[in-house]
Amino acid sequence: MYVRKTTRRYKDKTYTNYLLVESVHTPNGPRQKVICSLGDLSPRPAEDWLRLARKVEDALLGQINLFSDPDPEVEQIVHQVRNRQARSSSQVASTVTDSTHVTDLVAVHTDRVATTQPRTAGAVHVGFHFWKRLGFDGVLKHMGFSAKAIQLTCAMTLNRLIHPNSEHAMPDWIRSTALGDILGVDFTALVDDPLYRNLDRLHPNRAAIESDLVERERQLFQLDRTVYLYDLTSTYFEGQAKRNPKARRGYSRDKRPDCKQVVVGLVIGREGFPIAHEVFEGNIQDRKTLGRMLDLLKDRVGMPEGSTVVVDRGLAYAENIAEIRQRKYHYVVAGRQPERDNWLDQFEEPEGFELVPRQPSPLNPFQKKTVVRIKPVRHGDELIVLCTSEERMAKDRAIREKQEQRFLADLHRLQQRIKKGRLKREIAIGEAIGRLKQRYPRVARYHTITFDATTRKLAHEPNADKKAKAELLDGGYLLRTDRTDLSAREAWLMYMTLTRAENAFRMIKTPLAERPIFHHLEHRVDTHIFLCVLAYHLLVAIETTLLNQGVHTSWATVRETLSTHQVATIVLPTDGGKRLRIRKGMTPEPEHLELYRLLDVPSEIMHPIKTWS
């Protein structure tokens, strides 16, 4: 649509009028179709005329501009056009005697039918319905968020779920999908500034949003309230992040020690749903985070006494176990590696071990099953579960042998330095030996290294007994718990649920693109990670719904399958010179319909919008 100026002289006076017109195809070629009269627009700048025409066209197509207040002038023009179209339709209806609905019967030039504005819709459609099912709108509204802020948060969360982008690139992705059609919002003018402001708006409300969401999920999916699985990971920055005090260099689980990082602690329930998360300094020790996380759980979700905390060996220190007991919680922890030496005799004795077949992942039912041998031992008020795994045995042995090869290679280089006189002082040689042992503690303990100052020779001798002991412990680990009501099998199964926390980190880091972090402000880094956790809530809800139907399918497969379901505009040129535009979802394929049925999502993406021009 555009504005056309017309003039008319009457009694030696010139009158100017501006018409809103549209170009249409007719059998005689293109013609201008008058939509309505706009009166005299001459007092306005010419650039405002086109802006007015675009606003009217968007309003007639049913699109709402998210970033501007309603324009009374536009509403008046649209009302005028609607009345005119209604009168025209009633006149056509009066000339037809057929009992069918005339609005559905039109004569179309089939050779000029077109399809425009295709937008991917399937994954967005599913994500939005689960957004509503988990009650996100109500949670955000309770926090005082406006309708615009809720819609922006929804768009940003769905972006992380479906096709993660930076806030700068996110507007283009939103416009490439049918999200505007589903929300009834015009995202044409969306830029990145409102998205950054929305990050700032979300930051102070993170804990409250997460708490309300957890309560909603517990009611919806009947989740367990007594088991809390806690694990940590790190995620690194691109750049120096000098304005973020949490950005530090520390132990990098991403194998990026060259980058600054933050540490993320995540607590999930037995079924895999997130319960709470926190962002820590990048150089913090794992064991120093447990107390802070237990405080957060108590404040946010009301962690009851008698709950069981499951943690890995990185948190299995005496002070942490004492703190769990002091708070009147139970624990299931993996013992630290040196603790295995105290139970060597029990590992050697084959009697008392029970074979437990390890179950494959719910999302990978064809995964190879391995066998784990477990053995319960009572020790004071604790239950110690000795475990040996065939799969872990091969892994431990490979790590140990690789470490030994590197140790012997470095030892040979040190011998050559001494032999060639590059290292002469006895104190320096002793320091070099100490550094070598510190670098390879796993294997250096069963090698005896001696230096003869008289002959200037460095010799070493493997300790066969210690090496045999290390080989015996390959694949062995132990669990500790104060839950004496559990059997060894039950304790082991409870500990193995910790793999769901590890899986959560894999999902958040890779499909949801938590890393690397490009934000440098602390509060935006925290909110970036928070958005990834919100997207993970949706991901777990979708996969859990499928699992409850007996379908072992990941979100990545669902997303890929639904990527071909689209929304588009069908343009039908009629014999009367008009064009009928129908904005609607395409007919779903059988695989789309099956997924919608399993997820209890309607197959109709949107109500068709019909407009005449």
Side-chain angles (χ1 to χ4, degrees), residues 398-455:
I399 292 174
R400 182 173 48 77
E401 290 176 352
K402 187 175 183 179
Q403 288 281 313
E404 187 168 17
Q405 291 173 5
R406 291 179 176 177
F407 168 77
L408 293 175
D410 285 358
L411 183 63
H412 177 71
R413 281 191 286 270
L414 179 58
Q415 289 172 328
Q416 293 300 310
R417 290 174 63 196
I418 296 172
K419 182 179 179 180
K420 294 179 180 180
R422 296 176 182 173
L423 200 61
K424 297 181 179 180
R425 292 190 305 132
E426 190 172 347
I427 294 178
I429 294 172
E431 291 175 349
I433 294 172
R435 286 194 296 270
L436 192 62
K437 291 181 177 180
Q438 186 179 16
R439 191 178 306 135
Y440 303 102
R442 180 189 290 265
V443 295
R445 56 193 175 90
Y446 54 79
H447 283 267
T448 302
I449 305 175
T450 58
F451 173 69
D452 189 336
T454 304
T455 60

